[in-house]
Amino acid sequence: HPPPPPATPPLSTPPHPTPTPTTSTSSFSSFFSSYTPHSTALVDFRPPPLYSQRHLLGSTRFPYPFYDLLNEFPPKHTRLSLLIPVSLDRKAKEEVESHDYKVDHCIIDSAEFWAEAATKGLVVTDNDESRHLWTASPVLSGTIEQLEQIRVDEGLPRCGLAYDLGCGSGRDGAFLASRGWRTVNFDKAERQIQRASAFAKKLGLSNTEWTKLDVDTDRHILADMAPAGIVNIARYLDRSMWEVFANLVAEGGFIVFHTFMHSCSKPRREQFKLKEGELAGIFCKERGFKVLHDTEYTISDGRATSYFVAQRIGPVPARS
């Protein structure tokens, strides 16, 4: 039996009392008592040279302003702590909270802070490593090892060609590329493609392509593409594309679907929300698929999303 989906998304919010939202420069005991390197999400907004000079173990470098780096942030509603230069004062905290994050501690850079951090062995001075906070979709990250193992068991290479349709800011495509997949990623928004391409370049990924494509006008391009080992679709729904999506999946390959369910208040239009069992009825045995996962997953903002994966078990139909 396939393993169940993970109970909670990475970096999700555990239930615990809300701590004091800010930490003064004279007392950091509240922050340090709860700080766990590589678990607590600490965002360091100081300039890059200061981060390279010294930073806290397990922290993440985000030069300010951070708007163009939101695709590198964790899921919304994640609890964050901030380390900010004096010049920003509380401005950074307000901006972060405006993007639906919860700020537990807002620490102003000071000699006292670093002195206390040093007594706890948390100061890093010999590298400028920055922890990744971004995550792929919960379906993709939760099933990828299983899907790759199925490929190996069936005599296929562990990794191959993958398509990300409606790639947004590029996290899913980058995640797959980091595991060795060759990813071709599409979105209709030029700004998203530029941001995603820059993101992949920053991560040192060379096995990715980022292409502007609008399925309403360019669907013939998709219809002519070679079938892939993974077709990933996240937060995008166009029922007129079912057949095109299905024919993009190679024999032995997988379609991964993560989008909003009918119970969600947003998006408001029903055409953008899935009905229960709808995907299983489309990607079914009669059409050459075997369903591996078909359940719902509650994301960090409380909305229900599909947790759906199906494998093509027969040949791809001939194209006319």
Side-chain angles (χ1 to χ4, degrees):
H1 297 285
T8 56
L11 291 168
S12 63
T13 304
H16 59 75
T18 302
T20 304
T22 60
T23 303
S24 70
T25 57
S26 58
S27 175
F28 307 100
S29 58
S30 175
F31 168 75
F32 283 116
S33 66
S34 61
Y35 185 71
T36 304
H38 308 296
S39 178
T40 304
L42 174 62
V43 173
D44 190 329
F45 279 137
R46 297 175 305 141
L50 292 182
Y51 186 93
S52 297
Q53 179 182 346
R54 63 182 177 185
H55 59 273
L56 217 62
L57 181 66
S59 60
T60 303
R61 178 182 64 246
F62 277 105
Y64 188 90
F66 60 88
Y67 177 76
D68 284 335
L69 300 173
L70 281 173
N71 57 328
E72 300 180 39
F73 267 61
K76 290 183 182 296
H77 303 282
T78 297
R79 309 192 81 95
L80 303 176
S81 292
L82 309 180
L83 177 57
I84 63 175
V86 176
S87 59
L88 289 181
D89 195 21
R90 298 293 184 261
K91 180 181 179 182
K93 176 178 181 293
E94 294 170 359
E95 290 193 32
V96 169
E97 290 178 332
S98 74
H99 290 284
D100 297 324
Y101 292 97
K102 300 181 183 298
V103 177
D104 287 343
H105 302 281
C106 186
I107 306 158
I108 298 176
D109 188 23
S110 68
E112 293 86 351
F113 171 76
W114 292 108
E116 187 160 344
T119 66
K120 300 180 181 300
L122 293 174
V123 181
V124 178
T125 59
D126 58 353
N127 65 63
D128 61 354
E129 292 180 358
S130 177
R131 174 187 169 208
H132 291 164
L133 295 179
W134 62 275
T135 63
S137 81
V139 190
L140 199 58
S141 59
T143 64
I144 189 60
E145 291 187 3
Q146 177 198 7
L147 305 189
E148 290 176 351
Q149 188 59 53
I150 290 174
R151 286 175 59 86
V152 171
D153 293 343
E154 296 181 353
L156 297 171
R158 179 175 293 275
C159 302
L161 173 64
Y163 297 139
D164 188 8
L165 308 180
C167 65
S169 54
R171 285 175 290 217
D172 287 353
F175 171 76
L176 287 170
S178 72
R179 296 183 64 87
W181 290 80
R182 181 170 68 86
T183 67
V184 182
N185 311 270
F186 301 97
D187 200 279
K188 68 178 181 180
E190 181 66 32
R191 180 169 178 78
Q192 292 283 52
I193 290 296
Q194 292 175 352
R195 179 181 291 180
S197 179
F199 178 45
K201 184 177 180 180
K202 180 178 179 180
L203 294 173
L205 300 172
S206 59
N207 51 336
T208 61
E209 298 177 24
W210 307 91
T211 303
K212 180 183 176 182
L213 182 143
D214 188 336
V215 296
D216 291 330
T217 57
D218 301 326
R219 65 180 62 197
H220 63 281
I221 296 176
L222 293 176
D224 291 337
M225 295 192 316
I230 287 180
V231 175
N232 181 65
I233 303 164
R235 303 195 181 194
Y236 171 73
L237 182 59
D238 183 343
R239 291 174 174 84
S240 70
M241 293 292 290
W242 287 147
E243 184 176 355
V244 174
F245 292 160
N247 290 343
L248 283 175
V249 183
E251 185 172 359
F254 308 94
I255 187 160
V256 180
F257 233 110
H258 172 64
T259 197
F260 301 108
M261 298 300 295
H262 65 96
S263 60
C264 295
S265 58
K266 293 183 180 180
R268 289 187 170 85
R269 298 173 68 178
E270 290 300 318
Q271 70 186 80
F272 299 128
K273 296 187 285 187
L274 283 167
K275 299 179 178 66
E276 185 176 350
E278 183 175 3
L279 290 173
I282 298 298
F283 302 98
C284 57
K285 183 177 179 180
E286 291 72 21
R287 295 185 179 180
F289 285 89
K290 178 176 67 175
V291 174
L292 302 181
H293 296 277
D294 183 21
T295 186
E296 293 186 11
Y297 185 94
T298 303
I299 58 175
S300 58
D301 64 8
R303 288 182 291 177
T305 59
S306 59
Y307 194 103
F308 183 88
V309 182
Q311 182 184 23
R312 179 175 284 286
I313 56 176
V316 180
R319 302 181 184 184
S320 57

